[in-house]
Amino acid sequence: MGDSRLSRLTELARRMPHQESARRDAASFASFEVALLRRSQNRSRAHRWGAGVALTASLLLLLGIYSLPAPREASSEPALRYAVEPAAGDSERAQRFSFSDGSTVELADQSALHIAEVDAHGARVVLSEGSAEVSIAKRKHAAWQFEAGPYTVRVTGTAFQLRWSEKRAELMVAMHHGSVVVTGPLSPQGTALHAGQRLIAEDRTRRLRVEDAASARADALAPIEIHASRSRDAAALRGKTSRAAGAHDWDKRVAQGDFKGVLRAAEALGYARALTTLGASDLTAVADAARYLRKTQLGRDALLALRERFPESALGRHAAFFLGRMSDGDRALSWYERYLQEQPRGEYAAQALGRSMMLYYERGDTERAGALAARYLGRFPLGPYAASARTLLKPARVQSTTP
Amino acid sequence: MPLASLSADVSAPLSAGLSRADDAALATAASIGDARAPREIWRRYAPLVRRIVRRTLGPEHDVEDVVQDVFLRLFDKLPGLRDPNALRAFLVSISLRSVRYELRRRRVRRLVGLSPTPELHDLRVVATDHESRRALRRLYDLLDHMSFRERTAFVLRFIEGMELEEIAEALDVSVPTTRRAIARARDRVQLLASRDGLLTGYLSSSRGGA
């Protein structure tokens, strides 16, 4: 056989499709990202466990006790087993997957699902079409992953309904109890969903909304990053300041996701008047609602008003951090610095330090980035920026060897 | 090189956004945990990795798990990358290691009587006509009888069209060794194909020979 025939054969191989659709590529990336996240969390756990063991060992040695239990080998655990059986109910074609840890996945009629992976801690389940009722047994180290189109739902112990329509490119996750994290094209950073909430992601209109199942308010529409930070920020801000007389309880409405309602109320009052007359907690609510709805200017004005009118309050001081988050470059650095001066032990100190460190690194000011890295590690050795700080401080291996 | 030089090197492209950063800056950003790096590395290199994995493993094989594994291994090993400019070559080399592992896994499963690929097969049509599909499958059957080095050398040279030096680097062997492996692989495929009735028939037919 000559070279020309060989090249005809290799041409066949070259014609194999090797590109994936954007949707499949996004799904694949989401799986990779989740695995990466899981791995780093496991490492962090192992790091903490290791530190704990070292400390314990030292104490035991001091006490003259030398026997330590061997760590549990995760890999030695047997994978979960599962059985498929007809689901209870009217439909003959509905199926129920029962796992040995007590978890169940009940697949509705005219739905398609397969179990892609199973290990000791859970499974990777792919719903390609239709609807499934999921109930995951609450266990230590449970780790389940459900994939629907380009979306990934990470689960520990919970129950929820998952629905995916390939045709409409629409995802719905309705929480019964527990919590999950959903990632995908419309929620690249991940959205946490809790009991009673429902997430609907429509790829075609590029809209994602999170509703309280009970009220299912239409005005709860909000980009995912917004929702993800909402409860945390609102919780952090709630109750930090005494409520002003005549307060509107807008912070409660923000905590419930009623951002539009809060801004409508502020507009009815007149923004200028609102900024000069509202109490600290309502002003914070306006700032939050504006930030969440990406009304940047209004958010910034509200935060500045908060700082001007309530400079000594916790909310006024927190505003410096959020002004930093809403700014770039020098302005952001200046706000973070101000926050750290005013609240060196504040609840956002780790974030402000870490973000400042990264900003200096990104602009090439390694001296200041290094100084902040050392300061960060001194205070937050297990903080979210600790790995970056350590890398910044050690002589970079990537540079030390010439090609 | 001191850290100051490192950061000065990468600061410009990083501040301009990772999409415009060169490989060295991207690798450095990834190794210090820049949250934007995984997406950018995936965007830049997933097509290359997917192509190499698919072309080395063959048709009817869902490659996405292997592709994800390649990127996970990359992020595990990035701190040890000596030359951040070599990100592409590093990824190719990791891809080949993952493929090698996958081929071994398939072989073992076959030996113990299990399906070589427990996952769902990728059922997309890889060639429009039945004969071409069968010929393609047969080509990969032949490759299954070769050593990993020969198989990879053949795929990278004759299907992927890579340069000799690049293949040598990916296989972590010398250029003369790579040259010999390519020659051996080509001779072997030609010999086996000439003895294979289906392939000779396909190549002699008007469609195959066209």
Side-chain angles (χ1 to χ4, degrees), chain A residues 46-81:
Chain A
H47 179 76
R48 284 198 292 271
W49 187 88
V53 166
L55 183 65
T56 311
S58 309
L59 289 171
L60 290 178
L61 280 171
L62 281 174
L63 292 169
I65 303 169
Y66 301 105
S67 61
L68 274 176
R72 186 170 59 98
E73 283 285 335
S75 58
S76 66
E77 290 179 52
L80 298 179
R81 285 167 288 109

PDB file of all heavy atoms in Angstrom, chain A residues 46-81:
ATOM      1  N   ALA A  46      -8.227  18.536  53.364  1.00  0.00           N
ATOM      2  CA  ALA A  46      -7.091  17.696  53.719  1.00  0.00           C
ATOM      3  C   ALA A  46      -6.039  18.519  54.445  1.00  0.00           C
ATOM      4  O   ALA A  46      -5.416  18.059  55.404  1.00  0.00           O
ATOM      5  CB  ALA A  46      -6.488  17.078  52.457  1.00  0.00           C
ATOM      6  N   HIS A  47      -5.885  19.794  53.973  1.00  0.00           N
ATOM      7  CA  HIS A  47      -4.910  20.670  54.589  1.00  0.00           C
ATOM      8  C   HIS A  47      -5.289  20.927  56.047  1.00  0.00           C
ATOM      9  O   HIS A  47      -4.470  20.813  56.942  1.00  0.00           O
ATOM     10  CB  HIS A  47      -4.884  21.992  53.808  1.00  0.00           C
ATOM     11  CG  HIS A  47      -3.935  22.999  54.364  1.00  0.00           C
ATOM     12  ND1 HIS A  47      -2.582  22.910  54.179  1.00  0.00           N
ATOM     13  CD2 HIS A  47      -4.153  24.101  55.117  1.00  0.00           C
ATOM     14  CE1 HIS A  47      -1.993  23.932  54.800  1.00  0.00           C
ATOM     15  NE2 HIS A  47      -2.929  24.671  55.365  1.00  0.00           N
ATOM     16  N   ARG A  48      -6.588  21.235  56.216  1.00  0.00           N
ATOM     17  CA  ARG A  48      -7.048  21.509  57.581  1.00  0.00           C
ATOM     18  C   ARG A  48      -6.938  20.251  58.445  1.00  0.00           C
ATOM     19  O   ARG A  48      -6.530  20.295  59.584  1.00  0.00           O
ATOM     20  CB  ARG A  48      -8.497  22.011  57.561  1.00  0.00           C
ATOM     21  CG  ARG A  48      -8.603  23.448  57.122  1.00  0.00           C
ATOM     22  CD  ARG A  48      -9.936  24.010  57.527  1.00  0.00           C
ATOM     23  NE  ARG A  48     -11.027  23.411  56.807  1.00  0.00           N
ATOM     24  CZ  ARG A  48     -11.477  23.865  55.654  1.00  0.00           C
ATOM     25  NH1 ARG A  48     -10.926  24.905  55.092  1.00  0.00           N
ATOM     26  NH2 ARG A  48     -12.480  23.277  55.061  1.00  0.00           N
ATOM     27  N   TRP A  49      -7.305  19.112  57.840  1.00  0.00           N
ATOM     28  CA  TRP A  49      -7.238  17.843  58.554  1.00  0.00           C
ATOM     29  C   TRP A  49      -5.795  17.572  58.957  1.00  0.00           C
ATOM     30  O   TRP A  49      -5.503  17.194  60.084  1.00  0.00           O
ATOM     31  CB  TRP A  49      -7.750  16.739  57.632  1.00  0.00           C
ATOM     32  CG  TRP A  49      -7.899  15.410  58.294  1.00  0.00           C
ATOM     33  CD1 TRP A  49      -8.988  14.947  58.959  1.00  0.00           C
ATOM     34  CD2 TRP A  49      -6.924  14.369  58.353  1.00  0.00           C
ATOM     35  NE1 TRP A  49      -8.751  13.679  59.429  1.00  0.00           N
ATOM     36  CE2 TRP A  49      -7.495  13.301  59.068  1.00  0.00           C
ATOM     37  CE3 TRP A  49      -5.636  14.231  57.869  1.00  0.00           C
ATOM     38  CZ2 TRP A  49      -6.825  12.126  59.309  1.00  0.00           C
ATOM     39  CZ3 TRP A  49      -4.952  13.055  58.103  1.00  0.00           C
ATOM     40  CH2 TRP A  49      -5.555  12.013  58.823  1.00  0.00           C
ATOM     41  N   GLY A  50      -4.874  17.823  57.978  1.00  0.00           N
ATOM     42  CA  GLY A  50      -3.454  17.594  58.241  1.00  0.00           C
ATOM     43  C   GLY A  50      -2.974  18.467  59.379  1.00  0.00           C
ATOM     44  O   GLY A  50      -2.258  18.013  60.281  1.00  0.00           O
ATOM     45  N   ALA A  51      -3.385  19.735  59.355  1.00  0.00           N
ATOM     46  CA  ALA A  51      -2.964  20.660  60.403  1.00  0.00           C
ATOM     47  C   ALA A  51      -3.512  20.180  61.742  1.00  0.00           C
ATOM     48  O   ALA A  51      -2.814  20.198  62.760  1.00  0.00           O
ATOM     49  CB  ALA A  51      -3.465  22.057  60.085  1.00  0.00           C
ATOM     50  N   GLY A  52      -4.755  19.715  61.707  1.00  0.00           N
ATOM     51  CA  GLY A  52      -5.391  19.222  62.926  1.00  0.00           C
ATOM     52  C   GLY A  52      -4.664  18.009  63.471  1.00  0.00           C
ATOM     53  O   GLY A  52      -4.410  17.899  64.675  1.00  0.00           O
ATOM     54  N   VAL A  53      -4.284  17.100  62.574  1.00  0.00           N
ATOM     55  CA  VAL A  53      -3.581  15.891  62.994  1.00  0.00           C
ATOM     56  C   VAL A  53      -2.227  16.252  63.584  1.00  0.00           C
ATOM     57  O   VAL A  53      -1.806  15.720  64.612  1.00  0.00           O
ATOM     58  CB  VAL A  53      -3.415  14.922  61.803  1.00  0.00           C
ATOM     59  CG1 VAL A  53      -2.409  13.834  62.137  1.00  0.00           C
ATOM     60  CG2 VAL A  53      -4.754  14.297  61.478  1.00  0.00           C
ATOM     61  N   ALA A  54      -1.545  17.210  62.931  1.00  0.00           N
ATOM     62  CA  ALA A  54      -0.223  17.607  63.416  1.00  0.00           C
ATOM     63  C   ALA A  54      -0.328  18.141  64.843  1.00  0.00           C
ATOM     64  O   ALA A  54       0.461  17.782  65.716  1.00  0.00           O
ATOM     65  CB  ALA A  54       0.361  18.672  62.488  1.00  0.00           C
ATOM     66  N   LEU A  55      -1.330  18.971  65.052  1.00  0.00           N
ATOM     67  CA  LEU A  55      -1.524  19.546  66.375  1.00  0.00           C
ATOM     68  C   LEU A  55      -1.860  18.454  67.391  1.00  0.00           C
ATOM     69  O   LEU A  55      -1.297  18.372  68.472  1.00  0.00           O
ATOM     70  CB  LEU A  55      -2.651  20.585  66.313  1.00  0.00           C
ATOM     71  CG  LEU A  55      -2.943  21.330  67.599  1.00  0.00           C
ATOM     72  CD1 LEU A  55      -1.743  22.190  67.984  1.00  0.00           C
ATOM     73  CD2 LEU A  55      -4.170  22.215  67.443  1.00  0.00           C
ATOM     74  N   THR A  56      -2.780  17.574  66.972  1.00  0.00           N
ATOM     75  CA  THR A  56      -3.188  16.492  67.873  1.00  0.00           C
ATOM     76  C   THR A  56      -1.997  15.596  68.200  1.00  0.00           C
ATOM     77  O   THR A  56      -1.780  15.217  69.356  1.00  0.00           O
ATOM     78  CB  THR A  56      -4.281  15.635  67.200  1.00  0.00           C
ATOM     79  OG1 THR A  56      -5.255  16.523  66.689  1.00  0.00           O
ATOM     80  CG2 THR A  56      -4.923  14.680  68.170  1.00  0.00           C
ATOM     81  N   ALA A  57      -1.212  15.285  67.159  1.00  0.00           N
ATOM     82  CA  ALA A  57      -0.067  14.402  67.355  1.00  0.00           C
ATOM     83  C   ALA A  57       0.906  15.019  68.353  1.00  0.00           C
ATOM     84  O   ALA A  57       1.426  14.336  69.241  1.00  0.00           O
ATOM     85  CB  ALA A  57       0.631  14.140  66.031  1.00  0.00           C
ATOM     86  N   SER A  58       1.120  16.324  68.203  1.00  0.00           N
ATOM     87  CA  SER A  58       2.044  16.990  69.117  1.00  0.00           C
ATOM     88  C   SER A  58       1.542  16.873  70.549  1.00  0.00           C
ATOM     89  O   SER A  58       2.301  16.566  71.472  1.00  0.00           O
ATOM     90  CB  SER A  58       2.168  18.471  68.762  1.00  0.00           C
ATOM     91  OG  SER A  58       2.447  18.593  67.408  1.00  0.00           O
ATOM     92  N   LEU A  59       0.237  17.106  70.700  1.00  0.00           N
ATOM     93  CA  LEU A  59      -0.335  17.034  72.044  1.00  0.00           C
ATOM     94  C   LEU A  59      -0.217  15.628  72.612  1.00  0.00           C
ATOM     95  O   LEU A  59       0.149  15.437  73.773  1.00  0.00           O
ATOM     96  CB  LEU A  59      -1.811  17.459  72.010  1.00  0.00           C
ATOM     97  CG  LEU A  59      -2.033  18.950  71.766  1.00  0.00           C
ATOM     98  CD1 LEU A  59      -3.513  19.223  71.531  1.00  0.00           C
ATOM     99  CD2 LEU A  59      -1.536  19.757  72.950  1.00  0.00           C
ATOM    100  N   LEU A  60      -0.509  14.636  71.754  1.00  0.00           N
ATOM    101  CA  LEU A  60      -0.453  13.256  72.232  1.00  0.00           C
ATOM    102  C   LEU A  60       0.972  12.874  72.596  1.00  0.00           C
ATOM    103  O   LEU A  60       1.214  12.168  73.576  1.00  0.00           O
ATOM    104  CB  LEU A  60      -1.006  12.304  71.161  1.00  0.00           C
ATOM    105  CG  LEU A  60      -2.514  12.412  70.932  1.00  0.00           C
ATOM    106  CD1 LEU A  60      -2.938  11.471  69.818  1.00  0.00           C
ATOM    107  CD2 LEU A  60      -3.282  12.089  72.208  1.00  0.00           C
ATOM    108  N   LEU A  61       1.923  13.346  71.777  1.00  0.00           N
ATOM    109  CA  LEU A  61       3.314  13.029  72.081  1.00  0.00           C
ATOM    110  C   LEU A  61       3.703  13.621  73.428  1.00  0.00           C
ATOM    111  O   LEU A  61       4.389  13.001  74.226  1.00  0.00           O
ATOM    112  CB  LEU A  61       4.226  13.578  70.980  1.00  0.00           C
ATOM    113  CG  LEU A  61       4.299  12.711  69.722  1.00  0.00           C
ATOM    114  CD1 LEU A  61       5.034  13.437  68.618  1.00  0.00           C
ATOM    115  CD2 LEU A  61       4.982  11.385  70.039  1.00  0.00           C
ATOM    116  N   LEU A  62       3.226  14.852  73.644  1.00  0.00           N
ATOM    117  CA  LEU A  62       3.520  15.496  74.915  1.00  0.00           C
ATOM    118  C   LEU A  62       2.960  14.679  76.072  1.00  0.00           C
ATOM    119  O   LEU A  62       3.541  14.599  77.146  1.00  0.00           O
ATOM    120  CB  LEU A  62       2.923  16.903  74.952  1.00  0.00           C
ATOM    121  CG  LEU A  62       3.730  17.972  74.213  1.00  0.00           C
ATOM    122  CD1 LEU A  62       2.962  19.276  74.200  1.00  0.00           C
ATOM    123  CD2 LEU A  62       5.087  18.159  74.887  1.00  0.00           C
ATOM    124  N   LEU A  63       1.821  14.073  75.824  1.00  0.00           N
ATOM    125  CA  LEU A  63       1.190  13.286  76.886  1.00  0.00           C
ATOM    126  C   LEU A  63       1.735  11.859  76.942  1.00  0.00           C
ATOM    127  O   LEU A  63       1.325  11.067  77.769  1.00  0.00           O
ATOM    128  CB  LEU A  63      -0.331  13.231  76.651  1.00  0.00           C
ATOM    129  CG  LEU A  63      -1.056  14.562  76.834  1.00  0.00           C
ATOM    130  CD1 LEU A  63      -2.475  14.456  76.312  1.00  0.00           C
ATOM    131  CD2 LEU A  63      -1.067  14.962  78.304  1.00  0.00           C
ATOM    132  N   GLY A  64       2.617  11.536  76.015  1.00  0.00           N
ATOM    133  CA  GLY A  64       3.192  10.201  76.018  1.00  0.00           C
ATOM    134  C   GLY A  64       2.306   9.159  75.389  1.00  0.00           C
ATOM    135  O   GLY A  64       2.457   7.975  75.618  1.00  0.00           O
ATOM    136  N   ILE A  65       1.349   9.600  74.589  1.00  0.00           N
ATOM    137  CA  ILE A  65       0.460   8.647  73.910  1.00  0.00           C
ATOM    138  C   ILE A  65       0.859   8.638  72.445  1.00  0.00           C
ATOM    139  O   ILE A  65       0.903   9.671  71.799  1.00  0.00           O
ATOM    140  CB  ILE A  65      -1.007   9.066  74.058  1.00  0.00           C
ATOM    141  CG1 ILE A  65      -1.333   9.179  75.538  1.00  0.00           C
ATOM    142  CG2 ILE A  65      -1.935   8.105  73.366  1.00  0.00           C
ATOM    143  CD1 ILE A  65      -2.651   9.839  75.808  1.00  0.00           C
ATOM    144  N   TYR A  66       1.185   7.495  71.930  1.00  0.00           N
ATOM    145  CA  TYR A  66       1.768   7.463  70.599  1.00  0.00           C
ATOM    146  C   TYR A  66       0.863   6.856  69.539  1.00  0.00           C
ATOM    147  O   TYR A  66       1.201   6.834  68.380  1.00  0.00           O
ATOM    148  CB  TYR A  66       3.086   6.678  70.646  1.00  0.00           C
ATOM    149  CG  TYR A  66       4.073   7.299  71.595  1.00  0.00           C
ATOM    150  CD1 TYR A  66       4.330   6.724  72.831  1.00  0.00           C
ATOM    151  CD2 TYR A  66       4.699   8.486  71.258  1.00  0.00           C
ATOM    152  CE1 TYR A  66       5.218   7.308  73.706  1.00  0.00           C
ATOM    153  CE2 TYR A  66       5.594   9.083  72.134  1.00  0.00           C
ATOM    154  CZ  TYR A  66       5.850   8.494  73.363  1.00  0.00           C
ATOM    155  OH  TYR A  66       6.705   9.076  74.231  1.00  0.00           O
ATOM    156  N   SER A  67      -0.249   6.294  69.929  1.00  0.00           N
ATOM    157  CA  SER A  67      -1.055   5.625  68.912  1.00  0.00           C
ATOM    158  C   SER A  67      -2.107   6.548  68.336  1.00  0.00           C
ATOM    159  O   SER A  67      -2.856   7.159  69.081  1.00  0.00           O
ATOM    160  CB  SER A  67      -1.732   4.391  69.515  1.00  0.00           C
ATOM    161  OG  SER A  67      -2.572   4.817  70.544  1.00  0.00           O
ATOM    162  N   LEU A  68      -2.086   6.663  67.051  1.00  0.00           N
ATOM    163  CA  LEU A  68      -3.093   7.483  66.365  1.00  0.00           C
ATOM    164  C   LEU A  68      -3.872   6.619  65.405  1.00  0.00           C
ATOM    165  O   LEU A  68      -3.305   5.737  64.767  1.00  0.00           O
ATOM    166  CB  LEU A  68      -2.400   8.571  65.534  1.00  0.00           C
ATOM    167  CG  LEU A  68      -2.059   9.863  66.253  1.00  0.00           C
ATOM    168  CD1 LEU A  68      -1.300  10.761  65.302  1.00  0.00           C
ATOM    169  CD2 LEU A  68      -3.320  10.553  66.726  1.00  0.00           C
ATOM    170  N   PRO A  69      -5.178   6.817  65.292  1.00  0.00           N
ATOM    171  CA  PRO A  69      -5.920   6.030  64.306  1.00  0.00           C
ATOM    172  C   PRO A  69      -5.489   6.412  62.892  1.00  0.00           C
ATOM    173  O   PRO A  69      -5.204   7.579  62.630  1.00  0.00           O
ATOM    174  CB  PRO A  69      -7.378   6.447  64.546  1.00  0.00           C
ATOM    175  CG  PRO A  69      -7.292   7.767  65.227  1.00  0.00           C
ATOM    176  CD  PRO A  69      -6.020   7.783  65.986  1.00  0.00           C
ATOM    177  N   ALA A  70      -5.411   5.417  62.029  1.00  0.00           N
ATOM    178  CA  ALA A  70      -5.028   5.711  60.651  1.00  0.00           C
ATOM    179  C   ALA A  70      -6.159   6.453  59.964  1.00  0.00           C
ATOM    180  O   ALA A  70      -7.328   6.201  60.254  1.00  0.00           O
ATOM    181  CB  ALA A  70      -4.757   4.399  59.912  1.00  0.00           C
ATOM    182  N   PRO A  71      -5.831   7.389  59.072  1.00  0.00           N
ATOM    183  CA  PRO A  71      -6.889   8.101  58.370  1.00  0.00           C
ATOM    184  C   PRO A  71      -7.679   7.157  57.472  1.00  0.00           C
ATOM    185  O   PRO A  71      -7.142   6.182  56.956  1.00  0.00           O
ATOM    186  CB  PRO A  71      -6.124   9.128  57.525  1.00  0.00           C
ATOM    187  CG  PRO A  71      -4.745   8.594  57.411  1.00  0.00           C
ATOM    188  CD  PRO A  71      -4.504   7.804  58.642  1.00  0.00           C
ATOM    189  N   ARG A  72      -8.919   7.497  57.312  1.00  0.00           N
ATOM    190  CA  ARG A  72      -9.789   6.661  56.485  1.00  0.00           C
ATOM    191  C   ARG A  72      -9.425   6.853  55.017  1.00  0.00           C
ATOM    192  O   ARG A  72      -9.267   7.961  54.539  1.00  0.00           O
ATOM    193  CB  ARG A  72     -11.233   7.108  56.692  1.00  0.00           C
ATOM    194  CG  ARG A  72     -12.249   6.266  56.015  1.00  0.00           C
ATOM    195  CD  ARG A  72     -13.601   6.677  56.516  1.00  0.00           C
ATOM    196  NE  ARG A  72     -13.854   8.078  56.250  1.00  0.00           N
ATOM    197  CZ  ARG A  72     -14.549   8.507  55.218  1.00  0.00           C
ATOM    198  NH1 ARG A  72     -15.070   7.648  54.381  1.00  0.00           N
ATOM    199  NH2 ARG A  72     -14.754   9.775  55.035  1.00  0.00           N
ATOM    200  N   GLU A  73      -9.220   5.761  54.340  1.00  0.00           N
ATOM    201  CA  GLU A  73      -8.902   5.836  52.911  1.00  0.00           C
ATOM    202  C   GLU A  73     -10.194   6.005  52.137  1.00  0.00           C
ATOM    203  O   GLU A  73     -11.005   5.099  52.067  1.00  0.00           O
ATOM    204  CB  GLU A  73      -8.212   4.550  52.454  1.00  0.00           C
ATOM    205  CG  GLU A  73      -6.764   4.461  52.863  1.00  0.00           C
ATOM    206  CD  GLU A  73      -5.883   5.363  52.020  1.00  0.00           C
ATOM    207  OE1 GLU A  73      -6.268   5.675  50.874  1.00  0.00           O
ATOM    208  OE2 GLU A  73      -4.821   5.761  52.507  1.00  0.00           O
ATOM    209  N   ALA A  74     -10.338   7.196  51.553  1.00  0.00           N
ATOM    210  CA  ALA A  74     -11.584   7.437  50.826  1.00  0.00           C
ATOM    211  C   ALA A  74     -11.756   6.450  49.686  1.00  0.00           C
ATOM    212  O   ALA A  74     -12.846   5.980  49.409  1.00  0.00           O
ATOM    213  CB  ALA A  74     -11.599   8.853  50.271  1.00  0.00           C
ATOM    214  N   SER A  75     -10.644   6.101  49.045  1.00  0.00           N
ATOM    215  CA  SER A  75     -10.762   5.282  47.853  1.00  0.00           C
ATOM    216  C   SER A  75     -11.158   3.845  48.181  1.00  0.00           C
ATOM    217  O   SER A  75     -11.562   3.112  47.302  1.00  0.00           O
ATOM    218  CB  SER A  75      -9.439   5.285  47.110  1.00  0.00           C
ATOM    219  OG  SER A  75      -8.447   4.799  47.972  1.00  0.00           O
ATOM    220  N   SER A  76     -10.991   3.444  49.470  1.00  0.00           N
ATOM    221  CA  SER A  76     -11.310   2.069  49.804  1.00  0.00           C
ATOM    222  C   SER A  76     -12.813   1.869  49.974  1.00  0.00           C
ATOM    223  O   SER A  76     -13.280   0.750  50.097  1.00  0.00           O
ATOM    224  CB  SER A  76     -10.579   1.678  51.082  1.00  0.00           C
ATOM    225  OG  SER A  76     -11.096   2.438  52.159  1.00  0.00           O
ATOM    226  N   GLU A  77     -13.566   2.942  50.016  1.00  0.00           N
ATOM    227  CA  GLU A  77     -15.007   2.803  50.213  1.00  0.00           C
ATOM    228  C   GLU A  77     -15.658   2.275  48.935  1.00  0.00           C
ATOM    229  O   GLU A  77     -15.328   2.722  47.847  1.00  0.00           O
ATOM    230  CB  GLU A  77     -15.619   4.168  50.536  1.00  0.00           C
ATOM    231  CG  GLU A  77     -15.225   4.678  51.899  1.00  0.00           C
ATOM    232  CD  GLU A  77     -15.838   6.035  52.155  1.00  0.00           C
ATOM    233  OE1 GLU A  77     -17.060   6.177  51.997  1.00  0.00           O
ATOM    234  OE2 GLU A  77     -15.079   6.947  52.469  1.00  0.00           O
ATOM    235  N   PRO A  78     -16.573   1.358  49.093  1.00  0.00           N
ATOM    236  CA  PRO A  78     -17.223   0.836  47.887  1.00  0.00           C
ATOM    237  C   PRO A  78     -18.175   1.873  47.286  1.00  0.00           C
ATOM    238  O   PRO A  78     -18.744   2.695  48.007  1.00  0.00           O
ATOM    239  CB  PRO A  78     -18.001  -0.368  48.415  1.00  0.00           C
ATOM    240  CG  PRO A  78     -18.214  -0.085  49.860  1.00  0.00           C
ATOM    241  CD  PRO A  78     -17.063   0.749  50.319  1.00  0.00           C
ATOM    242  N   ALA A  79     -18.305   1.823  45.981  1.00  0.00           N
ATOM    243  CA  ALA A  79     -19.220   2.750  45.314  1.00  0.00           C
ATOM    244  C   ALA A  79     -20.663   2.402  45.675  1.00  0.00           C
ATOM    245  O   ALA A  79     -20.970   1.259  46.031  1.00  0.00           O
ATOM    246  CB  ALA A  79     -19.029   2.650  43.806  1.00  0.00           C
ATOM    247  N   LEU A  80     -21.530   3.374  45.588  1.00  0.00           N
ATOM    248  CA  LEU A  80     -22.948   3.129  45.847  1.00  0.00           C
ATOM    249  C   LEU A  80     -23.482   2.151  44.806  1.00  0.00           C
ATOM    250  O   LEU A  80     -23.015   2.122  43.673  1.00  0.00           O
ATOM    251  CB  LEU A  80     -23.738   4.436  45.738  1.00  0.00           C
ATOM    252  CG  LEU A  80     -23.391   5.555  46.715  1.00  0.00           C
ATOM    253  CD1 LEU A  80     -24.269   6.763  46.425  1.00  0.00           C
ATOM    254  CD2 LEU A  80     -23.595   5.090  48.141  1.00  0.00           C
ATOM    255  N   ARG A  81     -24.470   1.378  45.207  1.00  0.00           N
ATOM    256  CA  ARG A  81     -25.140   0.516  44.241  1.00  0.00           C
ATOM    257  C   ARG A  81     -26.529   1.098  43.978  1.00  0.00           C
ATOM    258  O   ARG A  81     -27.048   1.860  44.809  1.00  0.00           O
ATOM    259  CB  ARG A  81     -25.276  -0.904  44.807  1.00  0.00           C
ATOM    260  CG  ARG A  81     -23.969  -1.679  44.792  1.00  0.00           C
ATOM    261  CD  ARG A  81     -24.031  -2.947  45.614  1.00  0.00           C
ATOM    262  NE  ARG A  81     -24.063  -2.676  47.044  1.00  0.00           N
ATOM    263  CZ  ARG A  81     -25.116  -2.845  47.831  1.00  0.00           C
ATOM    264  NH1 ARG A  81     -26.233  -3.307  47.345  1.00  0.00           N
ATOM    265  NH2 ARG A  81     -25.070  -2.559  49.125  1.00  0.00           N
TER     266      ARG A  81
END
